[in-house]
Amino acid sequence: MGQDYYSVLEITHSAGDTDIKKAYRKLALKFHPLKNKEPAAPHRFRQIAEAYDVLSDHRKKATYDKFGEEGLKGGIPSEFGGEDAWTGGYVFHGNPERTFREFFGGDNPFADFFTPEGREVNTGFGGLRGRGVKVQDPPVERDLYLSLEDLFFGCTKKIKITRRVMNEDGHTSSIRDKILSIDVHPGWSQGTKITFPKEGDQGPNIIPADIIFIVKEKPHPRFKRQGDDLIYTANIDLGRALTGCTVEINTLDERILNIPVNDIVHPKYSKVVPGEGMRLATDHNLKGDLIIQFDIRFPEHLTPHKKQLLRKALLA
């Protein structure tokens, strides 16, 4: 036979919401391991948390009252439960401290009611306060991968999140989807954070966490970003490096640039094209620079005749 959650909380089966909360408040404080040093206290504390988790939720309580612990945890056949059958089965989250914090509030709610010596604090309001100050969950951070084109022009991204929300009855919760809209501004850089306040999971006596999206740049086939500048690597052979060339570049906004290079291109040489980089976040009409670097291809083989010609040209 399954455990009797009503007996665990030392209440009758006719107990209402207020009775269930009072019972949990009393027993959780009595058997909390910080105060109760008996070996059985941690197990009893966990039992109390699980019983409260079930009986304080109207849907779980109704399922338990009708089918017992076996039906609650094992799932209800559809022929008994109908369309609303609890087919998934209930699993306790296993963290009695979490239940305690959510009920009383505070990162260390136990400290609000007892001195370090374990004596109960008199709050002056007829006993313990019950549900207390709400505590916000830590922020939830997610990466937002954007292309250089997204960051050059700006765009709007629609992100679907799944979160737990409280139902209208204030006791039960459900999983729902929500679409968040992010307006990406031209010039945003990697590491930019976009915060959606209090869009995290909802729960009793907690403030939902903020959801923070952090911009990450996708690799680009032609350019590498360096602040507000764009780096482009041109592949040229040794002859063009020594005698001059024109580099053709397809820009992010689909223009073709023909950049003449009349200098001798050595391994550390680079050419700067002003105003052809990324748009600036502070002024979208201004842009950084385009920096052209070079990868010089050396010949793998030279005939004796070509070597002789090179000696005459370079060593004269």
Side-chain angles (χ1 to χ4, degrees):
M1 180 180 293
Q3 61 180 321
D4 186 339
Y5 289 134
Y6 292 95
S7 295
V8 170
L9 291 183
E10 300 178 2
I11 54 178
T12 66
H13 284 245
S14 62
D17 289 345
T18 301
D19 298 322
I20 293 169
K21 292 173 183 177
K22 286 181 178 179
Y24 174 76
R25 181 186 299 114
K26 173 186 173 182
L27 295 174
L29 291 168
K30 178 180 179 181
F31 288 99
H32 196 292
L34 285 179
K35 182 183 180 185
N36 194 319
K37 303 303 180 183
E38 295 181 4
H43 176 67
R44 184 84 170 91
F45 184 61
R46 189 185 188 285
Q47 283 185 316
I48 294 165
E50 181 176 339
Y52 176 74
D53 188 57
V54 172
L55 298 182
S56 64
D57 185 301
H58 288 184
R59 188 182 181 202
K60 296 174 190 173
K61 181 177 181 295
T63 303
Y64 172 74
D65 287 343
K66 186 173 183 180
F67 296 98
E69 184 186 15
E70 182 178 351
L72 178 70
K73 295 184 175 180
I76 304 169
S78 58
E79 59 265 27
F80 294 103
E83 293 183 357
D84 296 326
W86 185 288
T87 55
Y90 164 74
V91 178
F92 179 53
H93 55 68
N95 187 351
E97 287 287 354
R98 169 182 156 187
T99 303
F100 191 82
R101 287 195 303 271
E102 290 179 351
F103 185 91
F104 290 106
D107 290 332
N108 185 14
F110 196 75
D112 292 340
F113 310 118
F114 293 94
T115 67
E117 294 77 24
R119 294 192 298 273
E120 188 171 319
V121 174
N122 184 354
T123 63
F125 295 95
L128 297 173
R129 61 178 179 174
R131 293 181 182 265
V133 178
K134 290 188 176 183
V135 177
Q136 186 171 26
D137 284 343
V140 177
E141 295 187 346
R142 297 184 179 180
D143 292 336
L144 175 64
Y145 284 92
L146 300 171
S147 67
L148 282 184
E149 285 82 0
D150 292 334
L151 296 168
F152 182 86
F153 292 104
C155 63
T156 298
K157 294 291 184 180
K158 303 288 187 180
I159 309 294
K160 183 174 78 172
I161 63 170
T162 301
R163 61 176 186 157
R164 182 173 295 278
V165 298
M166 296 299 295
N167 296 326
E168 293 182 0
D169 59 19
H171 299 282
T172 61
S173 62
S174 56
I175 301 296
R176 297 180 188 173
D177 293 336
K178 183 174 182 178
I179 302 297
L180 300 179
S181 180
I182 300 176
D183 292 325
V184 178
H185 296 178
W188 274 4
S189 59
Q190 179 154 297
T192 298
K193 294 184 178 182
I194 308 98
T195 301
F196 289 87
K198 301 178 183 178
E199 289 289 357
D201 289 339
Q202 299 176 359
N205 216 42
I206 64 170
I207 299 173
D210 295 341
I211 295 182
I212 301 176
F213 291 92
I214 303 176
V215 171
K216 302 287 185 181
E217 293 177 359
K218 295 179 181 178
H220 196 273
R222 300 192 305 278
F223 300 106
K224 181 178 180 182
R225 186 175 182 178
Q226 181 176 285
D228 294 321
D229 298 332
L230 290 175
I231 310 296
Y232 178 85
T233 300
N235 296 296
I236 62 173
D237 57 36
L238 179 60
R240 296 173 68 201
L242 296 175
T243 61
C245 61
T246 298
V247 178
E248 183 179 282
I249 301 174
N250 186 11
T251 65
L252 290 175
D253 54 356
E254 299 301 325
R255 291 177 295 116
I256 301 297
L257 298 180
N258 289 290
I259 309 300
V261 180
N262 299 316
D263 302 321
I264 294 177
V265 178
H266 52 78
K268 294 183 179 181
Y269 176 84
S270 62
K271 186 174 182 65
V272 177
V273 183
E276 290 293 349
M278 290 293 295
R279 289 181 175 173
L280 274 58
T282 54
D283 187 342
H284 302 162
N285 295 318
L286 300 178
K287 292 188 287 186
D289 297 334
L290 172 63
I291 302 174
I292 306 174
Q293 298 177 344
F294 295 87
D295 184 5
I296 304 171
R297 295 190 299 265
F298 284 76
E300 296 181 359
H301 175 73
L302 288 174
T303 64
H305 178 65
K306 287 183 178 180
K307 288 181 180 180
Q308 185 177 6
L309 291 176
L310 284 172
R311 289 193 187 98
K312 287 181 179 181
L314 299 177
L315 301 179

